[in-house]
Amino acid sequence: NALPVTINCHTSYLPWNRGSQPNFWAWRDNTPHGVSIHRITAGVDKGPLYAQRRVQFGEGETLATSHERLQAEMFRLFADTWTYLRRGMLPEQAQKGKGSYHSSADFAAIRDKILPQGWEMPVSELRKKRICAPSEEPRNDRILYLRAG
C-alpha cells in the first residue's frame, strides 16, 4: 500500500530553478533544462525526487516553444511513472546540490525590461540581456551587470 503524499510536476531539472518561471531562468542562467516529479514539502520545490528527465533544445527556440516542449515532457514523465507513483514503488531521492531559486517577485522586477517581445522572444536574444533581479548579485558567469528595480 502506498503512503498518501502530495506530488508536484515541475518544469525544471531540480534542484535548478526552484520557484517561479523555471524555463525563463534556465535560459537566462544557463542551467540544466528538464522536468521533475517531487514530493511537496515545506520548502518551495525542495522535496525529494521521484523522477526527472533532462531535456535538450536546439537552435531557434523561443521561451514559448521551449515551455510547450517542457510541458509535453512533463506530462510524458508523469504518464510513464504514474503506475509506480500511485503504488508507492518509486523510491524518494534527495535533490543533489544547491541548485537555484527564483521568486515571482524576481521575475516581476525584470519582466518588462528583459522581455519586450514577451514569450515569443528567441532564447538567443534573452541570453544577451544584462539585467539582474533586485535580489541577485551581478555574476560574471551570467554576464549580468545592471540591477533592475
Side-chain angles (χ1 to χ4, degrees):
N1 290 335
L3 296 174
V5 298
T6 304
I7 63 169
N8 181 31
C9 298
H10 193 64
T11 54
S12 78
Y13 194 74
L14 294 171
W16 297 105
N17 306 305
R18 294 179 181 114
S20 180
Q21 304 296 338
N23 181 48
F24 168 82
W25 295 109
W27 287 111
R28 208 290 303 260
D29 294 346
N30 197 28
T31 55
H33 294 271
V35 294
S36 303
I37 300 174
H38 68 94
R39 181 166 49 89
I40 292 179
T41 60
V44 176
D45 298 325
K46 288 189 172 186
L49 297 165
Y50 291 110
Q52 64 182 168
R53 188 174 288 158
R54 289 282 301 260
V55 178
Q56 302 296 324
F57 291 98
E59 296 296 317
E61 295 286 347
T62 67
L63 289 170
T65 61
S66 59
H67 177 75
E68 289 167 7
R69 172 112 182 273
L70 287 169
Q71 289 287 318
E73 292 292 335
M74 182 180 66
F75 289 122
R76 193 170 300 123
L77 180 62
F78 182 78
D80 290 348
T81 58
W82 172 240
T83 298
Y84 304 103
L85 280 166
R86 73 180 178 162
R87 292 180 181 163
M89 297 171 63
L90 287 179
E92 292 183 345
Q93 297 179 5
Q95 295 184 31
K96 292 180 173 66
K98 183 179 176 185
S100 59
Y101 167 80
H102 298 283
S103 69
S104 55
D106 286 340
F107 182 70
I110 64 173
R111 176 184 47 232
D112 294 337
K113 294 175 180 77
I114 206 165
L115 291 179
Q117 295 169 281
W119 298 114
E120 296 304 322
M121 173 180 260
V123 295
S124 59
E125 292 298 313
L126 175 62
R127 288 183 168 173
K128 296 175 187 176
K129 300 289 183 174
R130 293 182 166 92
I131 297 176
C132 286
S135 66
E136 296 179 301
E137 291 299 320
R139 290 179 18 192
N140 289 336
D141 63 331
R142 286 196 210 131
I143 316 174
L144 298 172
Y145 303 107
L146 305 175
R147 183 176 302 282

